Amino acid sequence: TAYRTVKNGSWPQMHAAMERRAAHWAMAGESELAAELESYVKETETPDGAVRVFWKLGPKFIFAGCNERFARDAGLAAADLMGTDDFDARLPWGGQAAKYRADDMEVFQSRQAKLDILERQKSATGEVFWVRVGKTPILAPDGSARGILGMYDILDDKTASKLFMARSQSAPKI
């Protein structure tokens, strides 16, 4: 499946940890969920710090946590991101905020992961780079969505070009 391909190709250490914990998230209370996600972020830090992790809660997709790498990309301290959303004027990706919100909404409403999203992102330094994003719902005990967990890694232009080529070759011809 596409999920297994991305899981094995993008963030294998993180996804293994997510699979072990995701069932528990559904039963956790708000404070327990926050502690669980904080622990997850610490556990899944990579030595090179390449993977960015964040989560948003509620139907307004308010940032509730992230790793330090994500906060650096945002140009804010992690604590300053909490309680904001992608439309906050301090964030460098304001031009992409509507797209991010649409992806969040799709994952939230469908309660299905959306993986291997390729897009450009602007950093706090003004640099524009390719990212490969994955988002998955955080579910409540009744199966409704509580929020989304997202992660991305930065791609070099060569890798992004290969992924776009592969995608266009595998797309159905109309």
Side-chain angles (χ1 to χ4, degrees):
T1 67
Y3 179 81
R4 294 247 179 254
T5 301
V6 174
K7 178 176 118 173
N8 295 331
S10 299
W11 311 288
Q13 301 86 4
M14 297 190 77
H15 283 287
M18 187 184 338
E19 283 184 332
R20 286 192 311 272
R21 291 182 159 177
H24 180 73
W25 293 351
M27 304 307 286
E30 290 299 319
S31 60
E32 188 181 1
L33 176 63
E36 185 74 14
L37 288 167
E38 288 288 345
S39 174
Y40 169 70
V41 167
K42 287 178 185 163
E43 182 180 297
T44 56
E45 286 287 337
T46 59
D48 64 0
V51 177
R52 283 72 167 161
V53 181
F54 60 93
W55 63 94
K56 303 172 187 176
L57 294 177
K60 294 185 179 182
F61 308 107
I62 303 300
F63 284 109
C66 65
N67 68 359
E68 286 302 316
R69 195 60 157 149
F70 179 86
R72 274 182 275 184
D73 287 353
L76 297 172
D80 293 336
L81 274 168
M82 301 315 103
T84 67
D85 67 15
D86 286 309
F87 292 98
D88 188 292
R90 298 173 295 167
L91 299 177
W93 51 74
Q96 292 97 354
K99 164 73 167 81
Y100 297 167
R101 175 63 60 92
D103 289 339
D104 294 347
M105 186 63 74
E106 181 180 339
V107 169
F108 191 82
Q109 290 179 341
S110 72
R111 296 182 311 278
Q112 297 293 316
K114 185 171 183 175
L115 303 167
D116 226 5
I117 306 163
L118 299 175
E119 55 198 12
R120 301 286 263 168
Q121 180 172 303
K122 186 176 180 181
S123 74
T125 63
E127 179 184 8
V128 177
F129 44 80
W130 287 105
V131 295
R132 179 173 34 195
V133 183
K135 295 181 178 183
T136 191
I138 299 170
L139 301 176
D142 65 1
S144 64
R146 297 172 78 170
I148 59 119
L149 172 72
M151 60 194 85
Y152 66 91
D153 52 4
I154 295 176
L155 305 174
D156 59 48
D157 287 340
K158 184 177 179 180
T159 303
S161 179
K162 285 181 184 178
L163 290 169
F164 275 112
M165 287 290 272
R167 184 175 282 172
S168 66
Q169 291 174 352
S170 66
K173 305 295 183 219
I174 299 177

